[in-house]
Amino acid sequence: MDPENSCIIKHFSHYCSLTDEEKKLLISLEDSPSDVKSGSLLWEMGDPANEFCTLKSGWAYSYRHQENGDRQILEVFLPGDIVGLREFAFSQRLEGVRMIGDGVVCHFPHKRLLDIFRESLPLTSVMFAISSRQQALMTERLVNLARRSARQKMAHFLYEMYLRLRQTNPYLTNQFRLPLSQEQLADVLGLSPVHVSRTFTALSEDGLVFRDRHHLTIPDLNALSCEGDFNDCYLTDSVRPLLGD
């Protein structure tokens, strides 16, 4: 595989410079790709937690079901993300994970991650940084759910998605694809699907976001950031100073 086409290498390169040997180690995590269809269940809560997976392509989300049947989407995973890191020390899955659209997933056992820890200090540092970032994303999601208005929730989430996508695609413009359905957006933001629709309409009327099915246009990124009261400190992640990059 050409390292330049690897999403996981692009993801890790955001944190620090990688040697050719480190790139080979990361590519080894994409050795066994499996095509998965939209809506496919990667695992469900309570399943044995003995492996991770990387998203070679496509999006996924983690979720929990409540007793009344409602679903809360906890995290949205993008190409290049490692899924299942939070369960490294657990024997069972703490949440279910489903695909958003078709994609390619590469599974690898926990032991493979330990091998990488033994072979590369920089990659070990990046793994810790990624785990810390996932925790920071969850914390910000909690604040978004509990303390922001519907407009702020939507603006904050959309701007966050833009910044995360730009991490592995520096040429991303203010137009991009957001493959989540209205129901999935509702379960991310703690709103009803009707409220999601109304919020999109209000943001569009104010010229902040225009949506055409799964395609978004953000005319003024700064304005959307301000609307969502966005502080990107939890996304400005790097271990370059620690490694002397």
Side-chain angles (χ1 to χ4, degrees):
M1 177 193 295
D2 182 358
E4 299 304 317
N5 294 325
S6 168
C7 283
I8 193 170
I9 287 178
K10 290 179 181 177
H11 188 179
F12 274 60
S13 295
H14 170 76
Y15 294 86
C16 71
S17 300
L18 302 175
T19 66
D20 289 342
E21 189 60 35
E22 286 161 351
K23 290 178 181 180
K24 288 179 183 178
L25 285 171
L26 289 177
I27 287 177
S28 72
L29 301 182
E30 298 181 330
D31 273 349
S32 53
S34 300
D35 293 331
V36 285
K37 296 296 185 181
S38 176
S40 294
L41 182 70
L42 299 186
W43 56 72
E44 59 185 340
M45 184 176 172
D47 283 352
N50 49 24
E51 64 178 9
F52 306 104
C53 69
T54 58
L55 281 180
K56 187 176 175 64
S57 66
W59 294 33
Y61 65 88
S62 62
Y63 65 94
R64 292 279 295 271
H65 280 300
Q66 298 174 304
E67 290 185 2
N68 64 0
D70 288 346
R71 176 184 64 180
Q72 178 64 53
I73 291 181
L74 304 171
E75 190 167 357
V76 176
F77 299 100
L78 307 180
D81 282 346
I82 297 177
V83 186
L85 275 180
R86 281 198 301 275
E87 296 159 337
F88 183 47
F90 295 88
S91 60
Q92 293 184 330
R93 297 294 183 189
L94 305 178
E95 56 206 29
V97 178
R98 282 191 184 275
M99 292 298 297
I100 303 171
D102 298 342
V104 177
V105 173
C106 306
H107 294 270
F108 62 97
H110 285 175
K111 182 180 180 299
R112 186 69 192 101
L113 198 57
L114 295 177
D115 292 339
I116 288 177
F117 288 167
R118 281 191 288 266
E119 295 178 47
S120 172
L121 174 60
L123 292 185
T124 300
S125 300
V126 172
M127 287 290 187
F128 274 103
I130 289 172
S131 181
S132 297
R133 184 199 201 188
Q134 288 186 354
Q135 182 59 44
L137 284 167
M138 290 290 286
T139 300
E140 195 66 24
R141 190 82 69 240
L142 176 61
V143 173
N144 211 32
L145 284 168
R147 294 299 180 186
R148 295 188 176 114
S149 68
R151 282 175 63 101
Q152 288 176 320
K153 288 179 182 182
M154 182 69 75
H156 191 280
F157 178 75
L158 296 180
Y159 192 74
E160 179 187 277
M161 289 295 103
Y162 164 78
L163 290 183
R164 290 180 61 193
L165 287 167
R166 196 178 64 179
Q167 176 179 317
T168 54
N169 181 9
Y171 303 106
L172 185 72
T173 68
N174 64 337
Q175 299 180 12
F176 60 95
R177 188 169 184 271
L178 186 78
L180 285 82
S181 69
Q182 196 152 290
E183 289 74 18
Q184 289 165 343
L185 280 170
D187 290 344
V188 169
L189 300 175
L191 302 172
S192 69
V194 171
H195 206 166
V196 166
S197 179
R198 290 173 179 168
T199 303
F200 262 123
T201 298
L203 292 175
S204 178
E205 288 174 348
D206 290 341
L208 292 171
V209 177
F210 298 106
R211 179 179 62 159
D212 181 9
R213 296 177 65 83
H214 292 306
H215 295 275
L216 295 183
T217 300
I218 304 173
D220 187 335
L221 290 163
N222 287 332
L224 187 67
S225 173
C226 291
E227 180 68 33
D229 192 24
F230 200 94
N231 184 334
D232 69 354
C233 64
Y234 72 104
L235 292 177
T236 54
D237 35 26
S238 175
V239 293
R240 294 176 191 273
L242 292 174
L243 300 174
D245 278 11

